[in-house]
Each structure stands twice: as C-alpha cells, then as structure tokens.
Amino acid sequence: MKRTYAIKIKSSKLLKTEEQIKEVEDRIKETASECKSVELSDEGQIATVEVEKVEDFVAALNAVVNVFRKIDDKSEVSYKFGLNNN
C-alpha cells in the first residue's frame, strides 16, 4: 500500500541533489522499519511511502515528520487527496 504526502520546507532546505534525496530516504527507512519503500521527489517536497498494512502508515508518517523536522524545524507534512488518486 502506498500513500503520498506533501512536505513544506524552506526553499533553502530543499533537497537539491540525488545524494541528499537518497540520504533522507534511507533515514526514513531506518527510522521506521515498517516502510517497505520511500520515494522523494520534487526536491523533497513529495514523499511516497509504501507499507505492508494500513496501520503501518502511522509509524511511517511519524518517521517522515521526524526526519524532515531535523532538516527544517518548521516543516509541515500533509496528506493530499489529489496526490493519492491512483
């Protein structure tokens, strides 16, 4: 199961390189073992998380929030229905 989240971070904190994106994806997966996969796009402003069971989304979302709060303490993670139409 996959869900996609929108992330608001300061423009100066955007993930500009593939290495930065990979590092953050890995940190999220390390933080929440429930995450089967994590894909960041749009300079880290879109996160797609895959888990096995619906209840695993809680831990996955907590991991996304915690990792991005370390990048930008005012970051916001939100579920956007338009991103999850598939």
Side-chain angles (χ1 to χ4, degrees), residues 1 3-4 34 73 81 84:
M1 308 181 90
R3 284 193 184 162
T4 301
E34 294 85 357
D73 64 344
F81 289 100
N84 289 281

Short mmCIF file of all heavy atoms in Angstrom, two decimals, residues 1 3-4 34 73 81 84:
data_model
loop_
_atom_site.label_atom_id
_atom_site.label_comp_id
_atom_site.label_asym_id
_atom_site.label_seq_id
_atom_site.Cartn_x
_atom_site.Cartn_y
_atom_site.Cartn_z
N MET A 1 0.83 -1.16 0.00
CA MET A 1 0.00 0.00 0.00
C MET A 1 0.88 1.24 0.00
O MET A 1 1.87 1.29 0.71
CB MET A 1 -0.89 0.04 1.24
CG MET A 1 -1.68 -1.20 1.50
SD MET A 1 -2.67 -0.98 2.98
CE MET A 1 -4.11 -0.31 2.21
N ARG A 3 1.04 5.63 0.04
CA ARG A 3 0.42 6.93 0.26
C ARG A 3 1.45 7.99 -0.05
O ARG A 3 2.65 7.81 0.18
CB ARG A 3 -0.04 7.10 1.71
CG ARG A 3 -1.30 6.35 2.00
CD ARG A 3 -1.89 6.79 3.31
NE ARG A 3 -3.06 5.97 3.61
CZ ARG A 3 -3.59 5.85 4.79
NH1 ARG A 3 -3.10 6.50 5.81
NH2 ARG A 3 -4.65 5.09 4.97
N THR A 4 0.95 9.10 -0.55
CA THR A 4 1.83 10.20 -0.92
C THR A 4 1.49 11.42 -0.06
O THR A 4 0.32 11.73 0.15
CB THR A 4 1.68 10.53 -2.41
OG1 THR A 4 2.02 9.34 -3.16
CG2 THR A 4 2.61 11.65 -2.84
N GLU A 34 8.76 -0.31 9.27
CA GLU A 34 7.52 -0.65 8.58
C GLU A 34 7.53 -0.19 7.12
O GLU A 34 6.76 -0.68 6.30
CB GLU A 34 6.31 0.00 9.28
CG GLU A 34 6.04 -0.52 10.66
CD GLU A 34 6.88 0.18 11.74
OE1 GLU A 34 7.72 1.03 11.42
OE2 GLU A 34 6.68 -0.15 12.90
N ASP A 73 12.99 22.75 11.13
CA ASP A 73 12.14 22.62 12.32
C ASP A 73 10.73 23.17 12.13
O ASP A 73 9.86 22.93 12.95
CB ASP A 73 12.80 23.24 13.54
CG ASP A 73 13.01 24.74 13.42
OD1 ASP A 73 12.93 25.29 12.31
OD2 ASP A 73 13.29 25.36 14.47
N PHE A 81 -5.23 14.55 -0.87
CA PHE A 81 -6.04 13.57 -1.58
C PHE A 81 -5.73 13.56 -3.07
O PHE A 81 -5.72 12.51 -3.69
CB PHE A 81 -7.54 13.84 -1.35
CG PHE A 81 -7.97 13.51 0.04
CD1 PHE A 81 -8.12 14.51 0.99
CD2 PHE A 81 -8.20 12.20 0.42
CE1 PHE A 81 -8.50 14.20 2.28
CE2 PHE A 81 -8.58 11.88 1.71
CZ PHE A 81 -8.73 12.90 2.65
N ASN A 84 -3.12 11.16 -4.21
CA ASN A 84 -3.38 9.74 -3.94
C ASN A 84 -4.57 9.22 -4.74
O ASN A 84 -5.26 8.31 -4.30
CB ASN A 84 -3.64 9.56 -2.44
CG ASN A 84 -2.37 9.75 -1.65
OD1 ASN A 84 -1.54 8.87 -1.56
ND2 ASN A 84 -2.22 10.94 -1.08
#
